[in-house]
């Protein structure tokens, strides 16, 4: 199951993204019996909020979001118009703000970025069963022939 949406400018787009994420996962659970726990739903809303916040802050133009869910994981894909690859900063408890990618890395099983001619695409994966990672060969991952840029590595 998958769904996509575009977010226009403005502060409401972050709340809209969280709402879309929750509605998508609720539908996957209700209509397709995908085992979406409250924890996974909360993590997905946190991840989409952080990724959309970064896109709204650093990239002009629309933000495109896609969500995909299988029996094993949910992928959150955020596209924006700036090809610059973001990097997580070193942990610093004294720093105020700019912890978004640190947070996303801490709560996801897999995170990569791909540059394209008109910007970048960041994909974050959350396992539905709470175990780290998704098995290779499961059909989830970057398109064949493309190597992802792992964030923070």
């Amino acid at each position: 199951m998958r769904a996509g949406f575009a977010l226009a400018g403005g502060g409401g787009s972050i709340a809209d993204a969280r709402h879309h994420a929750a509605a998508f996962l609720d539908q996957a659970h209700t209509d397709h019996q995908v085992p979406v726990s409250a924890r996974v739903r909360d993590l997905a809303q946190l991840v989409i909020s952080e990724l959309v916040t970064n896109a709204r802050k650093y990239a002009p133009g629309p933000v495109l979001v896609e969500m995909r869910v299988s029996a094993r994981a949910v992928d959150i894909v955020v596209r924006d118009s700036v090809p610059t690859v973001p990097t997580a900063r070193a942990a610093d408890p004294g720093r105020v703000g700019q912890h978004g990618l640190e947070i996303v890395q801490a709560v996801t099983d897999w995170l990569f970025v791909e540059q394209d001619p008109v910007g970048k695409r960041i994909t974050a994966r959350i396992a539905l069963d709470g175990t780290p990672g998704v098995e290779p060969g499961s059909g989830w991952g970057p398109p064949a022939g493309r190597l992802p840029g792992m964030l923070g590595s």
Side-chain angles (χ1 to χ4, degrees):
M1 181 176 162
R2 67 177 52 204
F5 51 94
L7 298 169
S13 63
I14 297 160
D16 291 343
R18 285 193 303 266
H19 172 75
H20 283 298
F24 173 78
L25 292 174
D26 288 348
Q27 182 181 9
H29 179 72
T30 302
D31 295 351
H32 301 283
Q33 290 73 48
V34 176
V36 179
S37 68
R39 180 179 188 277
V40 167
R41 188 176 187 269
D42 290 346
L43 290 175
Q45 287 183 292
L46 173 63
V47 167
I48 204 165
S49 180
E50 292 297 338
L51 293 178
V52 169
T53 296
N54 286 349
R56 300 292 329 131
K57 185 174 181 179
Y58 298 110
V63 174
L64 304 176
V65 178
E66 180 183 4
M67 293 189 69
R68 302 182 296 244
V69 68
S70 74
R72 295 182 181 150
V74 59
D75 276 4
I76 299 165
V77 182
V78 176
R79 296 176 187 203
D80 67 40
S81 61
V82 173
T84 304
V85 175
T87 56
R89 295 174 142 208
D92 177 1
R95 184 176 69 239
V96 176
Q98 298 185 341
H99 294 280
L101 283 177
E102 290 173 62
I103 292 168
V104 171
Q105 286 178 316
V107 302
T108 58
D109 298 295
W110 191 66
L111 184 66
F112 74 92
V113 63
E114 291 179 286
Q115 294 173 299
D116 62 38
V118 295
K120 68 179 162 299
R121 172 179 39 205
I122 298 175
T123 304
R125 177 169 299 149
I126 301 167
L128 292 177
D129 66 2
T131 60
V134 174
E135 293 178 25
S138 66
W140 289 86
R146 299 180 102 177
L147 296 175
M150 298 303 288
L151 295 176
S153 56

